[in-house]
Amino acid sequence: IEQLQKDGYDCIMNNPEDYLDTLLNAAKKNHHQLKIYQGEARSAALGRIHAGITSTRIDIKNAMRHYETMMAKVIEPMISISRFQGGYCDQELINYFWKIIFKNQFHDSIYGSSPDSINHTVENRLLNLRHGLNELIWMNFRYLAESVDLSVLKENEDILVLFNTLPYQRNDYAFTSMIVKDKNFVLKRQDGTIVPYEIMNEVKATSHDIEYYNGMENFHDAGEVLEGTKFKVQIKIAASFLPPMGYEVLKVCFHERTSKRPEGDVVILKNGAENKYLVMHIQEDGTLSVTNKQTQETYHQLNTFVEKGDDGDEYNYSPCIDDTEIRINDIHPMITCIESSSIEVKYRLEYQIQVPEKVVDHHRVQALKPLKICSDVSLKANSQTIDFVTKINNHSCDHIVRVCFEDIYKAAENCSQDQFGTIIRQNVIKNQKSLKDGATEYVLPIYAMQRFVKLDHQKSIMAVLSKGPLEYEIENNQKICLTLLRSVGKFGKADLLIRPGRSSGYRMDAPSSQLLNQTITSEYSLFFGTKEQMSKMIQTAEVINTPVQTRYLNDISRRENLKLDWSYSAITLDERVEFMALKKAENSEASIFRILNNREVDVADVELFIPINKRCYLCDVQENKQTEVENQNGKVIIKNIVSNTFVTVIIE
């Protein structure tokens, strides 16, 4: 800079916005015609793409997706609901955990392309998030327990609190785990209306770590379960009665009985199930055949597991020489029905197979190690999805496991969700520069998504919705492949088949990225609908990723407390759009509500319902007020939210 100043140049420390304005003004002044480029910057002629990095350390990526979603879609909305009711939470506490999330989102941290020391630091932050975010959730239940008017409760009555953090009524089921003194109890709303529930056959294992001690379960109750004086009960409740963006308190009335059960439409079949939307059959090899009853179309070869070698590093997937893909379903699984009620039928598929132990000199070795896959397949009442929880117990190195779903239609392009809407991509990357012509790598059509992917055709919808695994590839213009496990052991590696020459990272061992002797859990769903149900599919993906929060509370005071109501709704939003955030303003006591139009249609006017005593303003992302929007007795109309954009409003 000193030399430039000596040569007569003025040097200014700038920012990207002003720098771009300077360039554009200079181009206009000098009559330069600037080229416009559109689409993703995925050219190996200009730089390395590192396809496959989106599934490196998939355990960390799945966990980070969970915590990101919980902060934005559950925790901050819960705190906002409590604040609307007079509660308080220091914003610095929330910001503290956001900063931990941001630290884990640094380039090398979230990529997983790091030496083991960095990956272990990321894991420690995940532990901090697990404890901290569960404590933030518990604070809201504790506030209600201390504030709701509980003077009407009898000695044999406790409470169950449920939070719906979506701004509309939902049609799924809320899960809760309870340690109770009597297995006979009835759930009632404040007016005495009975809320039916279904006791689950399968009792999920729960930890007695701090987040359970501070809410869901405590050490004393857990000890009494071991002694036989209390019982662990896990139930599901139809969530349709819950208010939008709000809570409801239920009475847990012991020593009472009811024959009422949730009304469901699921019918169990031989190795299958049926509801009003779908018919599901599990074949001998564990793959699913599903009929979409709205279109009378049947899909086959769904939930097919495949395994192959991975000669790559933490940056790139790279194939082995002379490798053969293993179709795990060729080893027929053990099939067990573990839930069979009118609200849910669930099967467990268990596969035991031997796969090559590792890769040496670009080839897979002959020695074998066990690979176990346990996939729970569920059909719920009134649902257009089939839901999967798949656990992979890994004992081999240098390989990749994917789950595949074959559409009945073909398309040359796919449609997946990005941050603000959808993106269309080619299944096969065409006209790419070759390695011999100087490309940095051979670009594979391996892509990242946010919550869903489908083939881009105008036929009936079959879409993969995911809560954690976010890497996919389309094969033969028909098969959607979702990566569930990627096991590699090098930070950087030279001379890969798809990336010859120097390594991208240092040539160091990173044994933790092999995920040896670990169990990787993935949750994903298949949505089936008509071609007109794109918006329904997007909303379903949001519901799946935003579960109802529940806590059974028995350590309560049966007093008036602050006389809060047993049910409350803070905000209701037009279902054609999605909420991005409901949070406290950074520099005031107001609330920030962010609305996203990700439905690919222009929406002229969006109805937003807020308390009648609140004022509403449009603002920028820095939360500076712009114009006031009239509150018409609780209804606010936000106009002209363009597709793939969002607006931010202040509610004060």
Side-chain angles (χ1 to χ4, degrees):
I1 290 177
E2 291 177 359
Q3 183 60 48
L4 289 171
Q5 290 172 333
K6 288 178 182 179
D7 293 341
Y9 290 94
D10 291 329
C11 298
I12 301 172
M13 184 66 72
N14 212 326
N15 60 51
E17 291 84 1
D18 291 343
Y19 176 67
L20 185 58
D21 286 341
T22 301
L23 288 179
L24 294 175
N25 289 332
K28 184 177 180 180
K29 180 179 179 181
N30 293 287
H31 307 291
H32 288 166
Q33 292 293 321
L34 299 179
K35 291 183 178 180
I36 297 176
Y37 294 87
Q38 191 172 8
E40 296 178 287
R42 287 175 60 94
S43 171
L46 302 175
R48 294 187 170 187
I49 307 303
H50 296 147
I53 204 169
T54 40
S55 56
T56 302
R57 284 311 299 262
I58 200 164
D59 58 330
I60 289 173
K61 288 183 171 66
N62 286 357
M64 280 300 297
R65 169 43 55 101
H66 171 72
Y67 294 129
E68 294 162 7
T69 302
M70 292 298 287
M71 276 297 288
K73 294 284 192 176
V74 173
I75 292 169
E76 286 194 315
M78 285 181 75
I79 291 171
S80 296
I81 293 166
S82 296
R83 287 182 65 249
F84 273 79
Q85 289 286 78
Y88 174 79
C89 178
D90 194 311
Q91 186 64 28
E92 284 304 310
L93 183 60
I94 303 169
N95 290 345
Y96 169 77
F97 288 106
W98 269 122
K99 288 174 183 177
I100 295 177
I101 289 176
F102 295 154
K103 287 178 182 178
N104 263 9
Q105 289 174 329
F106 288 165
H107 177 94
D108 289 334
S109 299
I110 191 59
Y111 274 12
S113 299
S114 306
D116 274 359
S117 57
I118 301 297
N119 290 331
H120 293 330
T121 302
V122 170
E123 291 173 323
N124 287 334
R125 293 195 193 108
L126 292 176
L127 183 61
N128 195 339
L129 288 171
R130 195 187 95 195
H131 290 322
L133 299 196
N134 278 287
E135 176 63 17
L136 287 177
I137 290 173
W138 168 236
M139 285 170 53
N140 294 278
F141 289 102
R142 189 165 61 219
Y143 174 71
L144 289 185
E146 296 168 353
S147 303
V148 170
D149 183 354
L150 301 179
S151 60
V152 298
L153 285 181
K154 301 174 184 176
E155 281 302 315
N156 68 328
E157 294 175 346
D158 295 331
I159 60 172
L160 176 64
V161 184
L162 302 95
F163 273 87
N164 171 25
T165 58
L166 294 175
Y168 48 79
Q169 287 187 299
R170 48 202 300 157
N171 194 33
D172 61 338
Y173 293 88
F175 167 85
T176 192
S177 184
M178 309 166 65
I179 292 181
V180 294
K181 53 195 173 187
D182 186 347
K183 289 183 179 180
N184 296 315
F185 60 88
V186 176
L187 300 181
K188 296 180 182 179
R189 303 178 78 174
Q190 186 181 21
D191 63 5
T193 304
I194 293 177
V195 177
Y197 63 87
E198 190 72 48
I199 296 178
M200 310 308 295
N201 293 332
E202 177 205 8
V203 177
K204 294 182 180 179
T206 53
S207 167
H208 297 307
D209 218 325
I210 187 169
E211 60 263 34
Y212 292 90
Y213 174 69
N214 283 344
M216 188 179 292
E217 298 174 0
N218 65 55
F219 291 133
H220 301 295
D221 286 345
E224 291 195 48
V225 170
L226 294 176
E227 294 166 2
T229 55
K230 287 192 176 180
F231 311 94
K232 178 181 285 189
V233 177
Q234 295 183 341
I235 63 175
K236 281 190 175 179
I237 309 166
S240 55
F241 71 95
L242 293 177
M245 194 64 77
Y247 68 80
E248 177 122 4
V249 179
L250 301 179
K251 288 188 288 188
V252 184
C253 305
F254 291 103
H255 314 308
E256 295 187 28
R257 297 174 182 269
T258 178
S259 59
K260 284 191 174 182
R261 290 289 177 265
E263 294 183 2
D265 64 349
V266 184
V267 178
I268 189 169
L269 308 173
K270 180 177 172 55
N271 278 357
E274 179 177 3
N275 67 9
K276 66 180 179 181
Y277 293 110
L278 304 173
V279 181
M280 173 187 78
H281 289 285
I282 302 174
Q283 307 302 320
E284 287 187 1
D285 65 357
T287 62
L288 270 61
S289 296
V290 177
T291 299
N292 179 349
K293 293 167 72 172
Q294 294 181 90
T295 64
Q296 296 303 314
E297 295 167 320
T298 300
Y299 299 74
H300 301 283
Q301 299 298 315
L302 305 176
N303 210 41
T304 301
F305 297 102
V306 294
E307 187 268 0
K308 59 185 176 181
D310 189 339
D311 191 29
D313 54 21
E314 289 184 321
Y315 291 89
N316 282 79
Y317 160 76
S318 188
C320 305
I321 297 174
D322 300 327
D323 189 21
T324 300
E325 185 175 82
I326 298 173
R327 185 179 183 274
I328 292 171
N329 298 73
D330 290 341
I331 304 296
H332 290 184
M334 181 171 69
I335 303 173
T336 309
C337 181
I338 58 175
E339 292 288 350
S340 57
S341 71
S342 64
I343 68 167
E344 181 178 12
V345 173
K346 182 190 294 186
Y347 291 89
R348 177 160 293 164
L349 315 179
E350 296 178 272
Y351 300 86
Q352 298 268 12
I353 195 171
Q354 299 281 322
V355 299
E357 179 183 12
K358 57 185 175 180
V359 172
V360 176
D361 295 331
H362 306 301
H363 294 270
R364 302 191 80 181
V365 300
Q366 296 296 314
L368 301 176
K369 287 285 185 177
L371 178 69
K372 180 179 179 180
I373 296 179
C374 177
S375 186
D376 288 353
V377 183
S378 171
L379 179 64
K380 299 181 179 67
N382 305 307
S383 175
Q384 291 182 238
T385 67
I386 293 173
D387 306 310
F388 303 86
V389 178
T390 296
K391 296 182 179 181
I392 301 177
N393 187 239
N394 179 51
H395 297 280
S396 292
C397 300
D398 314 319
H399 67 140
I400 187 169
V401 178
R402 303 195 297 179
V403 61
C404 303
F405 307 92
E406 193 160 312
D407 203 335
I408 57 175
Y409 299 106
K410 288 192 173 186
E413 295 178 322
N414 63 81
C415 172
S416 64
Q417 187 180 46
D418 64 8
Q419 281 75 7
F420 301 111
T422 56
I423 184 169
I424 307 300
R425 291 161 163 154
Q426 294 180 338
N427 300 336
V428 178
I429 299 175
K430 300 175 182 176
N431 304 319
Q432 63 171 298
K433 191 174 183 179
S434 67
L435 295 174
K436 65 180 181 181
D437 292 328
T440 59
E441 66 181 75
Y442 181 79
V443 185
L444 300 171
I446 297 174
Y447 299 114
M449 65 177 180
Q450 290 300 306
R451 289 196 299 236
F452 67 79
V453 60
K454 62 180 283 293
L455 290 175
D456 188 41
H457 51 60
Q458 301 306 310
K459 307 290 180 61
S460 305
I461 296 175
M462 186 202 78
V464 178
L465 319 181
S466 180
K467 293 179 70 172
L470 302 175
E471 178 186 278
Y472 72 91
E473 183 178 5
I474 309 298
E475 291 186 349
N476 303 321
N477 288 337
Q478 193 168 12
K479 185 187 297 182
I480 302 173
C481 303
L482 185 69
T483 305
L484 301 183
L485 170 74
R486 182 163 178 263
S487 169
V488 292
K490 290 287 186 180
F491 177 15
K493 200 172 181 180
D495 295 323
L496 305 183
L497 292 185
I498 60 105
R499 198 193 70 214
R502 70 172 180 85
S503 62
S504 283
Y506 295 110
R507 295 190 296 277
M508 296 170 54
D509 288 335
S512 70
S513 291
Q514 295 283 14
L515 301 178
L516 277 176
N517 305 316
Q518 293 191 40
T519 298
I520 306 301
T521 302
S522 300
E523 296 185 51
Y524 51 93
S525 300
L526 272 183
F527 176 91
F528 298 88
T530 65
K531 63 182 180 181
E532 296 86 10
Q533 290 183 318
M534 186 75 175
S535 181
K536 173 69 173 177
M537 182 266 290
I538 295 173
Q539 186 187 71
T540 301
E542 181 181 32
V543 171
I544 286 173
N545 278 269
T546 315
V548 172
Q549 299 299 306
T550 67
R551 289 294 187 276
Y552 162 65
L553 302 171
N554 58 9
D555 185 12
I556 52 178
S557 63
R558 291 165 173 79
R559 298 196 295 263
E560 288 186 351
N561 298 314
L562 299 180
K563 298 184 179 180
L564 290 191
D565 292 335
W566 283 49
S567 180
Y568 175 74
S569 176
I571 291 175
T572 304
L573 179 65
D574 191 318
E575 293 187 29
R576 295 174 296 166
V577 291
E578 181 175 317
F579 96 99
M580 291 180 69
L582 173 60
K583 58 181 282 289
K584 180 186 174 297
E586 293 297 321
N587 299 308
S588 74
E589 292 303 310
S591 296
I592 300 297
F593 191 69
R594 193 163 289 123
I595 304 168
L596 170 67
N597 177 9
N598 58 3
R599 302 293 203 262
E600 298 186 304
V601 292
D602 290 342
V603 178
D605 51 357
V606 170
E607 292 183 346
L608 175 66
F609 294 90
I610 63 175
I612 59 175
N613 62 338
K614 302 289 185 181
R615 303 185 74 173
C616 186
Y617 302 84
L618 293 177
C619 68
D620 59 23
V621 291
Q622 293 180 315
E623 303 180 5
N624 299 311
K625 290 182 187 176
Q626 294 174 332
T627 57
E628 185 170 2
V629 185
E630 182 183 1
N631 184 343
Q632 304 170 8
N633 198 32
K635 182 171 77 172
V636 173
I637 297 178
I638 310 295
K639 296 185 177 180
N640 299 318
I641 307 179
V642 180
S643 175
N644 295 341
T645 64
F646 63 85
V647 297
T648 305
V649 299
I650 293 178
I651 302 172
E652 65 176 22

